Amino acid sequence: MPLAPLVDSFGRVHDNLRVSVTDRCNIRCFYCMPESDVQFVERGEILDFEEIERFVRIAVSLGVTKLRVTGGEPLVRRDLPVLVRRLAAISGVRDLALTTNGVLLPDLAEPLYAAGLRRLNVHLDTLDRERFRKITRRDELDKVLAGLEIARRLGYSRIKLNAVAVKDLVEPDIVPLARYALANGFEVRYIEFMPLDAQNLWDRSKVLRAEEIIATLSREIAPLTAVPDPDPRAPATEYEFAGGAGRVGFIASVSRPFCLNCNRIRLTADGKLRYCLFAIEEDDVKSLMRSGATDEEIAALVRRNVAGKWEGHEINSTKFVAPPRPMYSIGG
Ligand code: SAM
Ligand code: SF4
């Protein structure tokens, strides 16, 4: 029986948890990680499977029903299917999803499916080998495409492709990526470049705005119309191509912030609880757990964290301060 829901001071109910299982990654996307000398958390500081499962059970007792496993690159975490099986078995987790760069999907799509995973977001910005290499500083496009094909055949439902929208870079990829997705039954979600990169490369002029992509797709493929989402708190706005060709989504965090509908909390790989991707403060779940705290004490920390949540990230105001952790160390 769930306890009272997690509500913040703006009345937003939090039922969505993202758990990062590692800050390590096998590629080096420039809008997330530095090219070299990445500072990773010591292995002993990363939550183990027991700690992650315990936290998820506590969150579920507080009303969380949606769970996403992320990273860093979650597929580099050893024995990930074992963890996924344990998380999928928690009654109360109604929606379990995973975000990956897809490089290890050729090996892991099947064991993850067998462990109970059905929903995948695969990060793919381009079908062009050179641009893939430029963006990720690695030559792994073929593995991602092979992994997607295996996942499609296995029957994962509604595979989504996460494409980061960076101006003066990915314009040539917008249409080919959408066509590839439509042909394979995937859905692209264009994510506006956010100020979460490790090298402070972001500025507003580098954001390829959702409106610009919508105009390109409408002109080159077919007119797009916004469709109401069954879950109005989902971050993506969905659009449908005329003629029933399929859908695309937009996560327009910069040009159309959706903070008023936010229902998400995040647990980092090193056990810090964050009420926002852009939060400056965080709460230390791991230390509490490792000092022998009861489930009730941990639940109280989660409630306090959510109760103190700010109204929104203020990217569009002069007050905005980028968080001290880049994307890979938070968990996107
Ligand atoms: N490694 C996995 C991956 O790449 O999908 C999971 C973690 S990654 C941090 C989660 C998502 O964050 C990626 O799919 C990518 O699209 C997105 N992302 C990373 N850096 C970003 C940035 N600066 N702005 C917008 N989205 C970003
Ligand atoms: Fe790795 Fe994902 Fe960050 Fe790219 S976006 S460097 S794949 S964690």
Side-chain angles (χ1 to χ4, degrees), residues 72-147:
E73 173 46 38
L75 270 51
V76 304
R77 176 84 192 238
R78 188 187 298 228
D79 294 331
L80 184 72
V82 173
L83 176 66
V84 164
R85 186 176 296 278
R86 287 166 68 160
L87 298 179
I90 297 175
S91 76
V93 173
R94 291 200 206 117
D95 181 18
L96 174 64
L98 179 132
T99 304
T100 172
N101 63 30
V103 173
L104 293 175
L105 269 184
D107 296 329
L108 286 167
E110 203 280 322
L112 287 167
Y113 193 89
L117 185 69
R118 293 293 178 272
R119 292 224 300 117
L120 272 180
N121 283 48
V122 180
H123 174 193
L124 181 63
D125 299 322
T126 178
L127 300 172
D128 179 273
R129 190 166 171 189
E130 264 320 301
R131 247 189 326 279
F132 185 95
R133 198 176 359 214
K134 186 170 171 193
I135 293 170
T136 67
R137 297 140 165 170
R138 298 289 186 274
D139 186 13
E140 302 281 27
L141 175 63
D142 289 350
K143 288 189 196 150
V144 180
L145 296 179

Side-chain angles (χ1 to χ4, degrees), residues 167-324:
K167 198 157 180 112
D168 296 331
L169 179 68
V170 301
E171 284 85 346
D173 301 304
I174 298 295
V175 173
L177 198 61
R179 287 197 200 281
Y180 162 79
L182 293 173
N184 285 282
F186 307 144
E187 183 181 318
V188 190
R189 324 186 100 196
Y190 300 94
I191 307 174
E192 288 178 348
F193 180 22
M194 293 183 270
L196 291 167
D197 61 290
Q199 295 170 291
N200 290 321
L201 299 171
W202 186 91
D203 76 57
R204 197 168 303 281
S205 70
K206 298 195 182 94
V207 180
L208 183 60
R209 290 164 40 247
E211 287 310 323
E212 301 173 68
I213 302 174
I214 291 168
T216 304
L217 292 174
S218 297
R219 193 178 58 241
E220 301 287 330
I221 299 185
L224 282 169
T225 326
V227 282
D229 197 296
D231 177 4
R233 295 176 307 159
T237 320
E238 302 271 323
Y239 281 71
E240 206 156 49
F241 286 106
R247 288 184 173 198
V248 282
F250 298 90
I251 302 190
S253 322
V254 180
S255 68
R256 300 184 206 154
F258 37 83
C259 303
L260 281 179
N261 289 325
C262 184
N263 62 350
R264 287 173 291 285
I265 53 175
R266 294 181 144 81
L267 186 66
T268 64
D270 59 342
K272 304 289 178 0
L273 180 63
R274 301 173 63 83
Y275 56 61
C276 176
L277 200 45
F278 296 93
I280 304 295
E281 300 156 358
E282 44 189 31
D283 282 309
D284 192 349
V285 172
K286 182 186 66 194
S287 295
L288 198 59
M289 274 188 178
R290 293 188 181 175
S291 68
T294 62
D295 287 1
E296 290 68 29
E297 285 166 331
I298 294 162
L301 181 77
V302 179
R303 280 198 190 288
R304 271 202 307 282
N305 183 278
V306 171
K309 178 162 174 155
W310 60 20
E311 190 173 3
H313 56 51
E314 308 266 15
I315 288 181
N316 295 311
S317 116
T318 49
K319 286 190 272 176
F320 177 72
V321 181

